[in-house]
């Protein structure tokens, strides 16, 4: 096992990794920007290093400073969390070259799956269905338009290097296609330094279903069932649950097998997620792979009783997977709501500032992963995630009731939060019935309005 792990991240995920390390008896190093001096991850780690000014590029994205911080503190491994450098192959390579273990897959695996157009091609070669679309990157608007005409509108243009919903545009008709194509390319270039894009048919009412994967260094891969992340805004997840109300054991086996097949084909090591779109007719299509731990990993932990972060660290240290779940061992139902410092009635405008009062929900089956506290100031520089509320129940109905009571008793004052909005989602008849797809919020704009 490692002696000391540096966490190249901040916020709730830094705390999550620190907790896992403490349970494993591993020391921790927190890194922080000048804006995060008062953060809990700094207080709870054994060691801490300030790595620069608040903007991410000067701190959490600064590779030489992160590696220097690990060297100075004697850390023998780095956990990247999610976001920032978690899927940056160059970072993984430089960490490894400095004789430090990168807690995650190999740089080659990150690269292979990081290019979404290449990953699509790879999935197809492995016999896993992908959404109908371009065989590879599309070079010109003319070529794109010809293909879109063949596929039928609407289509979605996506950045090959994409992530976080950036560089993604839907084109609804041929007239609008050229402009959407150019915009997607420009956005892709600005966000990822690559203007390569590809095209997929834009499915009408898909569900977002993803499979949690874990692989060890000896070629063994298992999956830990699906998560349903269909409640989205602008292609970004807001609520996640496991198991999916739309997946039965047979479908679970099929999607799980497809995911394991892909991960095995690249000898995948560590925690990863393979994302699919599930169409209304039960067909599922590979969309992309995320080569890291995800924000929504706790719903899987709650209904498999398996600590994904501890396992991620153990596997990186060379431990073998000692059980293979592959869709079994599910118990009950888990739901996660992402509580953000945002105002849904104002287009989810961020609401940074001082938290004046804080009281988290509790009780049986309620888990809150957060880094905030009364007196904490939410800085304007990073994402606006304040807390994740995760509940577990013996049934979906019990989990839903638990989530409603948890949200209703969650007090955060001083900043505007998405708590009331999430409470409305948890009471919406379609969500209660488990009948939502990725366009649910588009159809229900009244959910965004402040009703108090
Ligand atoms: P990112 O990597 O930026 O997160 P993804 O490729 O994972 O982007 O897609 C994010 C979301 O966009 C999906 O969960 C889904 O809601 C929507 N989406 C992506 N591709 C399609 C498609 N072909 N048809 C319909 N919706 C799509």
């Amino acid at each position: 096992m490692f002696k000391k792990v540096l966490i190249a991240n901040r916020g709730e995920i830094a705390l999550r990794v620190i907790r896992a390390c403490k349970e494993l008896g591993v020391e921790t190093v927190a890194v922080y920007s000048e804006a995060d001096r008062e953060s809990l991850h700094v207080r709870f780690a054994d060691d801490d290093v300030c790595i620069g000014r608040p903007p991410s590029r000067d701190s959490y994205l600064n590779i030489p400073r992160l590696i220097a911080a690990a060297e100075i503190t004697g850390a023998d491994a780095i956990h990247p969390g999610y976001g920032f450098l978690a899927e940056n192959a160059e970072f993984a390579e430089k960490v490894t070259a400095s004789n430090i273990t990168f807690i995650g897959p190999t740089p080659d695996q990150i690269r292979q799956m990081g290019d979404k157009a290449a990953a699509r091609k790879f999935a197809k070669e492995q016999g896993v269905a992908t959404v109908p679309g371009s065989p590879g990157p599309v070079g010109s608007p003319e070529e794109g338009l010809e293909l879109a005409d063949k596929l039928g509108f609407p289509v979605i243009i996506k950045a090959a290097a994409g992530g976080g919903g950036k560089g993604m545009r839907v084109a609804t008709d041929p007239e609008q296609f050229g402009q959407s194509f150019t915009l997607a390319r420009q956005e892709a270039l600005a966000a990822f330094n690559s203007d390569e894009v590809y095209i997929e048919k834009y499915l009408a009412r898909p569900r977002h279903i993803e499979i949690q994967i874990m692989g060890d260094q000896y070629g063994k891969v298992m999956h830990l069932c699906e998560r349903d992340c269909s409640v989205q805004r602008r292609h970004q997840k807001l609520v996640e649950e496991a198991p999916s109300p739309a997946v039965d054991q047979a479908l679970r086996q099929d999607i799980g097998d497809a995911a394991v097949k892909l991960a095995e084909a690249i000898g995948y090591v560590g925690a990863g997620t393979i994302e699919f779109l599930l169409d209304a007719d039960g067909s599922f299509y590979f969309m992309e792979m995320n080569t890291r731990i995800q924000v929504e990993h706790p719903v899987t932990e709650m209904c498999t009783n398996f600590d994904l972060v501890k396992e991620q660290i153990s596997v990186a240290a060379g431990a073998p997977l000692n059980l293979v779940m592959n869709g079994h061992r599910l118990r009950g139902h888990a739901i996660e709501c992402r509580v953000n410092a945002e105002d849904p009635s104002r287009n989810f405008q961020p609401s940074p500032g001082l938290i004046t009062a804080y009281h988290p929900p509790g009780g049986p089956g309620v888990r809150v992963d957060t880094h905030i506290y009364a007196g904490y100031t939410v800085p304007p520089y990073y994402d606006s995630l304040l807390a994740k509320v995760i509940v577990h129940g013996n049934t979906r109905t019990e989990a839903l009731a638990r989530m409603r009571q948890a949200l209703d008793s969650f007090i955060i004052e001083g900043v505007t939060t998405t708590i009331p909005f999430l409470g409305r989602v948890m009471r919406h008849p379609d969500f209660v019935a488990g009948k939502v797809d990725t366009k649910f919020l588009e159809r229900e704009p009244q959910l965004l309005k402040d009703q108090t």
Side-chain angles (χ1 to χ4, degrees), residues 116 158 163-165 200-203 208 232 235 275 288 438:
K116 288 165 67 172
K158 291 183 173 182
E200 282 177 358
K201 184 160 180 57
Y202 192 56
L203 302 181
H208 175 115
Q232 299 184 349
H235 306 136
E275 298 189 334
E288 66 161 343
T438 59

Side-chain angles (χ1 to χ4, degrees), residues 28-47:
T28 50
V29 183
V31 293
Y32 63 98
S33 76
E34 284 166 14
D36 280 337
R37 212 172 272 285
E38 303 301 323
S39 287
L40 287 180
H41 73 285
V42 180
R43 183 179 306 186
F44 291 150
D46 297 297
D47 232 334

Side-chain angles (χ1 to χ4, degrees), residues 43-85:
R43 183 179 306 186
F44 291 150
D46 297 297
D47 232 334
D48 56 77
V49 181
C50 180
I51 48 164
R53 291 172 36 75
S56 309
R57 63 175 180 282
D58 297 333
S59 48
Y60 300 105
L61 291 175
N62 187 317
I63 297 178
R65 287 202 197 149
L66 288 163
I67 292 179
E71 283 172 342
I72 292 164
T73 53
D76 50 355
I78 293 186
H79 194 301
Y82 54 67
F84 295 124
L85 295 167

Side-chain angles (χ1 to χ4, degrees), residues 340-354:
N340 292 331
E342 290 171 354
D343 185 348
S345 68
R346 294 190 182 169
N347 209 13
F348 288 81
Q349 182 182 303
S351 169
L354 177 69

Side-chain angles (χ1 to χ4, degrees), residues 349-360:
Q349 182 182 303
S351 169
L354 177 69
I355 310 266
T356 51
Y358 176 76
H359 176 76

